[in-house]
Amino acid sequence: MNYLMETYSPLPLHLVKGKGCHVWDEGGKAYLDMVAGIAVCNLGHAHPVVAAALQQQAAQLFHCSNLYHIPQQETLARMLSENSFEAKAFFCNSGAEANEAAIKLVRRFSSNKNKSGAKILTFDGSFHGRTLATVAATGQDKFRKGFDPIPAGFKKVAYGDIDALEEAIDETVGAVMIEPIQGEGGIRVPPQGYLQKVRALCDLHDLLLVFDEVQTGMGRTGKLFGYMHEECVPDIMTLAKALANGFPAGAVLARPAVAEAFAPGSHASTFGGNPLAMACGVATLETMIREDISEKAHQQGLYLQSKLKELKQSHSCIKEIRGQGLMVGVECEADISFLPRAGLEKGILLNVIKDHIIRLVPPLIITREEIDQATGIISELLQEKGL
Ligand SMILES: Cc1ncc(COP(=O)(O)O)c(C=O)c1O
């Protein structure tokens, strides 16, 4: 019997070690990692500063509960706020939990303003997590199939279409929740200026704006947070994935006036913000800022896109290359779902979304040589299939 529930269909690979942009299997074979645990290990695997912070904390105190002060939470909350917008933080353990908390915060805030039951507008193609409220928020039906009854309170709007958003706003709406770039939806980048317009509409109609930066945050798009590509600031922002470079951690940041809607007892998490996660989070963010990792992601992202554009010349199956920083999608006209498995043979980890989009989200410390190697292997793999 397989003792695991079959929620995943893992590739036949058992990884035992990682360093920088490489991982190794149990037989000692190395793989160039273009996935980074799905946009998680932004500083690369086994980063020495993060690993040392974790080891040091583990030798002192794993866990104590939020019944007591956890000073590292205050440090990370201050650092996040100083590097984004004036905000208070709540820490949890994952992206879905961060969004779940954001949804609860929106509802509490609306209810305090006599707008109880206010709806949240979310977007076609979006992805916000796998809890019941976050699958309800998600703009893809397949994630809700068989899970009725699905919580109410969400309305879907076309992504990137400002007129559609304006049309959907009425007195029943309290907030808009959006990914600055859709990740699971296929690396969909909205038109330039769109996020700013979303902000303006939220201001006009007195709506809260929630940026789900679970995938786009922590330097991934070439700025510390994805919204920073435009002149706009969220009321609420959610983070997870790369927040602690691979140690499970999530966060909700909210403007103080919004954060006030949560009082003692409104929301909680046993593990959220525990000392181990916070030690990793502080070490990750300090390193990211000290080494200006976001700028590295910006530069290497431009290089990666230029190399992919070269590939497009010789591979007719490539339809579009899009993304920002090191969050890059290569949309193909053919089914390329063979790539992740075929990549293993050639020593590369690749991820494909919806059977036809290569999602490239490597560690942000990737070098030009490694980008050359990755694009070279992708080219070979496509060529071998005559694509
Ligand atoms: C934008 C976005 N939000 C939320 C989530 C859910 O995060 P988690 O898997 O940590 O619950 C993801 C995961 O891919 C994501 O990309």
Side-chain angles (χ1 to χ4, degrees), residues 4 9 82 86 107 125 131 165 172 207 210 321 325 328 373:
L4 295 175
S9 21
E82 285 173 357
E86 194 192 1
R107 291 187 176 184
T131 60
L165 180 64
T172 67
L207 308 179
V210 185
I321 293 144
V328 175
Q373 197 192 341

Side-chain angles (χ1 to χ4, degrees), residues 177-208:
M177 181 162 162
I178 188 166
E179 295 160 84
I181 295 177
Q182 286 189 345
E184 305 303 305
I187 315 290
R188 294 173 70 202
V189 187
Q192 181 68 31
Y194 173 71
L195 297 178
Q196 253 163 259
K197 290 180 188 156
V198 173
R199 175 73 269 180
L201 277 181
C202 288
D203 289 341
L204 185 66
H205 296 278
D206 198 18
L207 308 179
L208 293 177

Side-chain angles (χ1 to χ4, degrees), residues 276-287:
L276 295 173
M278 294 299 98
C280 292
V282 169
T284 300
L285 190 52
E286 269 174 3
T287 306

Side-chain angles (χ1 to χ4, degrees), residues 43 47 49 282-293:
L43 296 177
H47 190 279
V49 176
V282 169
T284 300
L285 190 52
E286 269 174 3
T287 306
M288 221 162 232
I289 290 161
R290 190 178 55 247
E291 298 183 6
D292 202 0
I293 296 290

Side-chain angles (χ1 to χ4, degrees), residues 38 93-97 99 127-130 179 183-184 212-215 240-241 359:
I38 318 189
N93 311 285
S94 67
E97 274 179 75
N99 286 330
F127 183 79
H128 298 293
R130 303 292 200 127
E179 295 160 84
E184 305 303 305
D212 177 346
E213 295 252 12
V214 167
Q215 193 157 154
K241 287 197 182 277
R359 166 171 48 185

